[in-house]
Amino acid sequence: MADSILGRYRRDVLADVSGDVLEIGFGTGLNLPYYPDQVRQIVTVDPSPGVHRLAQKRIDASPIAVDYRMLSGEALPMADHSFDSVVSTFTLCSIPQIEQALAEIYRVLRPGGRFFFVEHGLSDEPSIQTWQHRLTPLQKRIAGGCHFDRDMRRLIEQQFDEVNLEAAYAEKLPKVAGYFYQGVAFKH
């Protein structure tokens, strides 16, 4: 998840993040170098206890103060309307109750807030979809619950008031895993 192709996606999606920021699925902190200079602190959630230790080097090297919380994105303890920006990169594919996580993201955003995302998911090609459906049970077992076949467009659009989204295959990645959804969803 750290290669230069994915770094380009991270940089593009994080370019306009501002205000009070929540990152869902912080993992090992791969997004930290891509936040704009005006972002000085973020709140992060991730349910995996081991990844915070791996992230510590990136946190220590970053000018961004990180308030790390070991939590699931499906049950956020933050108050309604707490954040201007919520970020998720390559995370929604593995959240067991994705609809609940998206509802929580919407809830904690302030009116006028934005949800910035880049995720992989269901292709628009039926022949690739067939393979995504076939391989997802195995992928879930070997990759921490990751689904190849989630229709991110539908899932995000059913929760948010407005969504600006682009979907296409990433270069140099297998089509079954490389159909990316990138965009911004708005809470009015």
Side-chain angles (χ1 to χ4, degrees), residues 27-28 46-55 68 70:
T28 61
D46 198 294
S48 304
V51 296
H52 183 66
R53 287 187 296 278
L54 296 172
Y68 177 86
M70 199 171 86

PDB file of all heavy atoms in Angstrom, residues 27-28 46-55 68 70:
ATOM      1  N   GLY A  27      -4.171   2.945   9.960  1.00  0.00           N
ATOM      2  CA  GLY A  27      -3.174   1.925   9.656  1.00  0.00           C
ATOM      3  C   GLY A  27      -1.792   2.302  10.134  1.00  0.00           C
ATOM      4  O   GLY A  27      -1.603   2.721  11.274  1.00  0.00           O
ATOM      5  N   THR A  28      -0.804   2.205   9.242  1.00  0.00           N
ATOM      6  CA  THR A  28       0.586   2.511   9.598  1.00  0.00           C
ATOM      7  C   THR A  28       0.949   3.970   9.300  1.00  0.00           C
ATOM      8  O   THR A  28       2.126   4.320   9.317  1.00  0.00           O
ATOM      9  CB  THR A  28       1.550   1.573   8.860  1.00  0.00           C
ATOM     10  OG1 THR A  28       1.398   1.746   7.450  1.00  0.00           O
ATOM     11  CG2 THR A  28       1.315   0.120   9.254  1.00  0.00           C
ATOM     12  N   ASP A  46      -8.402   3.366  14.163  1.00  0.00           N
ATOM     13  CA  ASP A  46      -8.066   2.091  13.534  1.00  0.00           C
ATOM     14  C   ASP A  46      -8.276   1.013  14.592  1.00  0.00           C
ATOM     15  O   ASP A  46      -7.830   1.187  15.728  1.00  0.00           O
ATOM     16  CB  ASP A  46      -6.626   2.075  13.041  1.00  0.00           C
ATOM     17  CG  ASP A  46      -6.395   0.976  12.018  1.00  0.00           C
ATOM     18  OD1 ASP A  46      -6.477  -0.216  12.389  1.00  0.00           O
ATOM     19  OD2 ASP A  46      -6.145   1.302  10.847  1.00  0.00           O
ATOM     20  N   PRO A  47      -8.934  -0.091  14.247  1.00  0.00           N
ATOM     21  CA  PRO A  47      -9.201  -1.113  15.258  1.00  0.00           C
ATOM     22  C   PRO A  47      -8.057  -2.099  15.503  1.00  0.00           C
ATOM     23  O   PRO A  47      -8.139  -2.922  16.408  1.00  0.00           O
ATOM     24  CB  PRO A  47     -10.412  -1.848  14.678  1.00  0.00           C
ATOM     25  CG  PRO A  47     -10.224  -1.743  13.200  1.00  0.00           C
ATOM     26  CD  PRO A  47      -9.606  -0.380  12.984  1.00  0.00           C
ATOM     27  N   SER A  48      -6.982  -2.008  14.741  1.00  0.00           N
ATOM     28  CA  SER A  48      -5.895  -2.995  14.824  1.00  0.00           C
ATOM     29  C   SER A  48      -4.826  -2.547  15.815  1.00  0.00           C
ATOM     30  O   SER A  48      -4.157  -1.539  15.578  1.00  0.00           O
ATOM     31  CB  SER A  48      -5.261  -3.197  13.452  1.00  0.00           C
ATOM     32  OG  SER A  48      -6.230  -3.565  12.521  1.00  0.00           O
ATOM     33  N   PRO A  49      -4.624  -3.289  16.886  1.00  0.00           N
ATOM     34  CA  PRO A  49      -3.655  -2.868  17.902  1.00  0.00           C
ATOM     35  C   PRO A  49      -2.215  -2.849  17.406  1.00  0.00           C
ATOM     36  O   PRO A  49      -1.431  -2.002  17.814  1.00  0.00           O
ATOM     37  CB  PRO A  49      -3.831  -3.888  19.028  1.00  0.00           C
ATOM     38  CG  PRO A  49      -4.552  -5.036  18.438  1.00  0.00           C
ATOM     39  CD  PRO A  49      -5.293  -4.543  17.243  1.00  0.00           C
ATOM     40  N   GLY A  50      -1.839  -3.726  16.524  1.00  0.00           N
ATOM     41  CA  GLY A  50      -0.453  -3.808  16.080  1.00  0.00           C
ATOM     42  C   GLY A  50      -0.018  -2.687  15.168  1.00  0.00           C
ATOM     43  O   GLY A  50       1.169  -2.342  15.131  1.00  0.00           O
ATOM     44  N   VAL A  51      -0.927  -2.095  14.429  1.00  0.00           N
ATOM     45  CA  VAL A  51      -0.506  -1.106  13.434  1.00  0.00           C
ATOM     46  C   VAL A  51      -0.034   0.199  14.056  1.00  0.00           C
ATOM     47  O   VAL A  51       0.804   0.884  13.480  1.00  0.00           O
ATOM     48  CB  VAL A  51      -1.597  -0.832  12.366  1.00  0.00           C
ATOM     49  CG1 VAL A  51      -1.876  -2.057  11.547  1.00  0.00           C
ATOM     50  CG2 VAL A  51      -2.833  -0.251  12.958  1.00  0.00           C
ATOM     51  N   HIS A  52      -0.532   0.539  15.232  1.00  0.00           N
ATOM     52  CA  HIS A  52      -0.091   1.796  15.843  1.00  0.00           C
ATOM     53  C   HIS A  52       1.406   1.763  16.134  1.00  0.00           C
ATOM     54  O   HIS A  52       2.112   2.754  15.920  1.00  0.00           O
ATOM     55  CB  HIS A  52      -0.879   2.107  17.116  1.00  0.00           C
ATOM     56  CG  HIS A  52      -0.490   3.421  17.720  1.00  0.00           C
ATOM     57  ND1 HIS A  52      -0.729   4.620  17.076  1.00  0.00           N
ATOM     58  CD2 HIS A  52       0.152   3.728  18.867  1.00  0.00           C
ATOM     59  CE1 HIS A  52      -0.263   5.606  17.822  1.00  0.00           C
ATOM     60  NE2 HIS A  52       0.276   5.091  18.914  1.00  0.00           N
ATOM     61  N   ARG A  53       1.897   0.631  16.590  1.00  0.00           N
ATOM     62  CA  ARG A  53       3.344   0.513  16.834  1.00  0.00           C
ATOM     63  C   ARG A  53       4.113   0.715  15.525  1.00  0.00           C
ATOM     64  O   ARG A  53       5.155   1.363  15.509  1.00  0.00           O
ATOM     65  CB  ARG A  53       3.663  -0.838  17.456  1.00  0.00           C
ATOM     66  CG  ARG A  53       3.228  -0.939  18.915  1.00  0.00           C
ATOM     67  CD  ARG A  53       3.717  -2.230  19.570  1.00  0.00           C
ATOM     68  NE  ARG A  53       3.142  -3.434  18.985  1.00  0.00           N
ATOM     69  CZ  ARG A  53       1.952  -3.923  19.297  1.00  0.00           C
ATOM     70  NH1 ARG A  53       1.196  -3.316  20.174  1.00  0.00           N
ATOM     71  NH2 ARG A  53       1.508  -5.033  18.731  1.00  0.00           N
ATOM     72  N   LEU A  54       3.597   0.163  14.437  1.00  0.00           N
ATOM     73  CA  LEU A  54       4.246   0.334  13.135  1.00  0.00           C
ATOM     74  C   LEU A  54       4.159   1.782  12.648  1.00  0.00           C
ATOM     75  O   LEU A  54       5.047   2.258  11.950  1.00  0.00           O
ATOM     76  CB  LEU A  54       3.611  -0.597  12.102  1.00  0.00           C
ATOM     77  CG  LEU A  54       3.777  -2.095  12.354  1.00  0.00           C
ATOM     78  CD1 LEU A  54       2.930  -2.896  11.369  1.00  0.00           C
ATOM     79  CD2 LEU A  54       5.235  -2.501  12.269  1.00  0.00           C
ATOM     80  N   ALA A  55       3.091   2.470  13.009  1.00  0.00           N
ATOM     81  CA  ALA A  55       2.890   3.858  12.578  1.00  0.00           C
ATOM     82  C   ALA A  55       3.747   4.848  13.357  1.00  0.00           C
ATOM     83  O   ALA A  55       3.966   5.972  12.887  1.00  0.00           O
ATOM     84  CB  ALA A  55       1.416   4.231  12.730  1.00  0.00           C
ATOM     85  N   TYR A  68      -4.323   9.355  18.132  1.00  0.00           N
ATOM     86  CA  TYR A  68      -4.641   8.002  17.673  1.00  0.00           C
ATOM     87  C   TYR A  68      -5.601   7.324  18.641  1.00  0.00           C
ATOM     88  O   TYR A  68      -5.381   7.330  19.853  1.00  0.00           O
ATOM     89  CB  TYR A  68      -3.355   7.174  17.567  1.00  0.00           C
ATOM     90  CG  TYR A  68      -3.604   5.744  17.158  1.00  0.00           C
ATOM     91  CD1 TYR A  68      -3.700   5.406  15.826  1.00  0.00           C
ATOM     92  CD2 TYR A  68      -3.766   4.748  18.117  1.00  0.00           C
ATOM     93  CE1 TYR A  68      -3.935   4.094  15.449  1.00  0.00           C
ATOM     94  CE2 TYR A  68      -4.002   3.435  17.742  1.00  0.00           C
ATOM     95  CZ  TYR A  68      -4.090   3.123  16.400  1.00  0.00           C
ATOM     96  OH  TYR A  68      -4.332   1.832  16.024  1.00  0.00           O
ATOM     97  N   MET A  70      -7.743   3.635  19.136  1.00  0.00           N
ATOM     98  CA  MET A  70      -7.976   2.266  18.671  1.00  0.00           C
ATOM     99  C   MET A  70      -9.478   1.997  18.717  1.00  0.00           C
ATOM    100  O   MET A  70     -10.028   1.578  19.728  1.00  0.00           O
ATOM    101  CB  MET A  70      -7.215   1.253  19.524  1.00  0.00           C
ATOM    102  CG  MET A  70      -7.061  -0.071  18.807  1.00  0.00           C
ATOM    103  SD  MET A  70      -5.969  -1.197  19.661  1.00  0.00           S
ATOM    104  CE  MET A  70      -7.140  -1.939  20.768  1.00  0.00           C
TER     105      MET A  70
END
